[in-house]
Amino acid sequence: MATAAAKGPADACYMLLHPNLDVETPNLQTLRRNLERGTDEIKAEALQQVITGTLQGENYEQLLMHIIRFVMPTRNKSLKKLLLFYWEVCPKYAADGTLKHETILICNALMNDLQHPNEFIRGATLRALTKMREAEILEPLIGPVRDCLEHRHAYVRKNAVVAISSIYRLQPHLIPDAPELIHAFLSAEADMTCRRNALNMLTLN
């Protein structure tokens, strides 16, 4: 089981994966081939192995562009969910401490999923944003996140509230009007789960 935790107790969040311990972890060449040419099922298995290995300290930075090129365009829902986990743990910084140029492509992928016609993909993407702390990635996504507050599905709206709360807590300068925004949302919202999330946000922040 692989576990990833946030930096402090106030930000605690965990990812649990269950790798197949009976199967030897493939080398970089095999992972690269599976990510590039495999079926959706093979790509999913390879991506989970990359995520698990990354959490265990393996260096898979060389696979970032392969994943962006050959896995990111997928329409497979299981692969999309794994991609959201991967964006959370993948190496986003270069050796000099600056964000890698590839993060622009990650940001574009997240933006597309925030505008996806499937409400579950939108909701999962909004939840994934709560585990990202890079202002450079989050800033271009603020508009689509705000738009999700008006989505017709409560599942999207409730996760939009959680995402806004997280961004405001970690990077308040990106969405300084978050309390007012959520207060106005609460006044017009009828769904009880959405209202509860909004109240939690206003209380905790």
Side-chain angles (χ1 to χ4, degrees), residues 124-141:
T125 306
L126 288 162
R127 288 201 309 272
L129 295 186
T130 66
K131 300 173 185 177
M132 295 187 182
R133 290 155 176 76
E134 297 82 8
E136 296 91 337
I137 293 178
L138 293 171
E139 185 173 12
L141 305 177

Side-chain angles (χ1 to χ4, degrees), residues 44-64:
E45 182 179 357
L47 186 54
Q48 180 163 329
Q49 289 166 336
V50 171
I51 294 170
T52 303
T54 300
L55 292 173
Q56 293 174 340
E58 298 289 340
N59 185 352
Y60 289 135
E61 291 190 36
Q62 299 176 48
L63 298 176
L64 177 58

Side-chain angles (χ1 to χ4, degrees), residues 21 37 62 88 94 99 134 136 141 151 153 165 181 204:
L21 300 178
R37 305 174 189 171
Q62 299 176 48
E88 179 186 344
L99 275 176
E134 297 82 8
E136 296 91 337
L141 305 177
H151 196 273
H153 286 283
S165 177
L181 179 66
L204 297 176

Side-chain angles (χ1 to χ4, degrees), residues 133-167:
R133 290 155 176 76
E134 297 82 8
E136 296 91 337
I137 293 178
L138 293 171
E139 185 173 12
L141 305 177
I142 297 300
V145 170
R146 294 173 71 114
D147 290 343
C148 285
L149 286 174
E150 301 177 5
H151 196 273
R152 66 185 185 280
H153 286 283
Y155 179 76
V156 174
R157 299 197 303 274
K158 73 176 184 179
N159 283 300
V161 173
V162 174
I164 289 171
S165 177
S166 174
I167 294 170

